[in-house]
């Protein structure tokens, strides 16, 4: 059974880059069966898809975030990662790594953008 | 971008009664529609995918219907643990979520 776990700093300064890692267990990130994704949820608000990627390197980003998002995969560590540049207070959210329609979600990582 | 609109924003229902939540897509998503339940401090829990297929372990009182642009989630005989936030999500063209329906105790 697939299990996802987010990790990374909980506090990021404005204008800096947010970086999160998702560790995959119970399966291999080296599959083309699905694309590994990130979803975020600002406090008290709804869910927003950030992007998804296949381990082959093909990436697909939400157009509203595309200019600031980079996703990558590390097959040696069975992990995939998210970078969001030039963050502002509006990027404060719980960030989930997920295979949404398969019902596989990490527990979420709260990232606060503040000086 | 496919816009998902859920209604109502809040639904007040008594335990034991039935609740019907609606979700509309701005263009056809075929049957690539999922429903999630979310409780405070928890990740979303998949209830339904393929518009009408219950996920593993989901009670039979949850049922999904619809296709194309109009979808519903029915919860028959509400239990105390069912009062939560519910989101629909299309995955026909990557992902878009509805804004959510809060199911509250009447």
């Amino acid at each position: 059974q697939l299990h996802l776990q987010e990790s990374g700093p909980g506090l990021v300064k404005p204008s800096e880059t947010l970086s999160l890692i998702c560790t995959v267990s119970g399966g291999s990130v080296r599959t083309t069966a699905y694309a590994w994704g990130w979803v975020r949820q600002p406090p008290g608000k709804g869910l927003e898809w950030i992007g998804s990627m296949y381990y082959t390197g093909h990436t697909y980003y939400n157009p509203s975030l595309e200019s600031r998002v980079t996703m990558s995969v590390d097959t040696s560590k069975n992990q995939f990662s998210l970078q969001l540049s030039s963050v502002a207070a509006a990027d404060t959210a719980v960030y989930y790594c997920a295979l949404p329609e398969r019902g596989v979600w990490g527990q979420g990582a709260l990232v606060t953008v503040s000086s | 971008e496919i816009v998902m609109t859920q209604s109502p924003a809040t639904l007040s229902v008594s335990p034991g009664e039935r609740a019907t939540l609606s979700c509309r897509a701005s263009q056809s998503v075929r049957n690539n529609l999922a429903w999630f339940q979310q409780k405070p401090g928890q990740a979303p829990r998949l209830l339904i995918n393929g518009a009408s297929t219950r996920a593993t372990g989901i009670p039979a009182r949850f049922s999904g219907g619809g296709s194309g642009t109009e979808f519903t989630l029915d919860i028959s005989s509400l239990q105390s643990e069912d009062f939560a936030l519910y989101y629909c999500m299309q995955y026909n063209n990557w992902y878009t979520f509805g804004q959510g329906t809060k199911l509250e105790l009447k």
Side-chain angles (χ1 to χ4, degrees), chain A:
Chain A
Q1 183 176 355
L2 272 175
H3 180 75
L4 305 179
Q5 178 68 58
E6 306 87 353
S7 59
L11 182 64
V12 181
K13 289 183 168 56
S15 80
E16 295 190 345
T17 296
L18 177 160
S19 296
L20 291 170
I21 290 172
C22 183
T23 300
V24 179
S25 57
S28 174
V29 73
R30 291 179 58 94
T31 177
T32 55
Y34 28 78
W36 304 98
W38 291 94
V39 174
R40 71 179 182 177
Q41 185 172 35
K45 296 187 178 181
L47 298 158
E48 179 182 36
W49 172 66
I50 300 170
S52 299
M53 74 172 299
Y54 291 95
Y55 91 96
T56 53
H58 290 91
T59 55
Y60 305 86
Y61 300 142
N62 186 324
S64 69
L65 298 168
E66 187 167 14
S67 63
R68 299 194 290 130
V69 174
T70 303
M71 293 180 62
S72 60
V73 170
D74 186 337
T75 55
S76 68
K77 295 182 179 179
N78 218 34
Q79 296 174 334
F80 62 101
S81 65
L82 168 71
Q83 290 192 313
L84 181 66
S85 64
S86 303
V87 297
D91 294 310
T92 293
V94 175
Y95 287 77
Y96 296 99
C97 51
L99 299 173
E101 76 275 23
R102 293 178 178 266
V104 181
W105 293 68
Q107 66 182 26
L110 174 62
V111 180
T112 301
V113 178
S114 175
S115 55

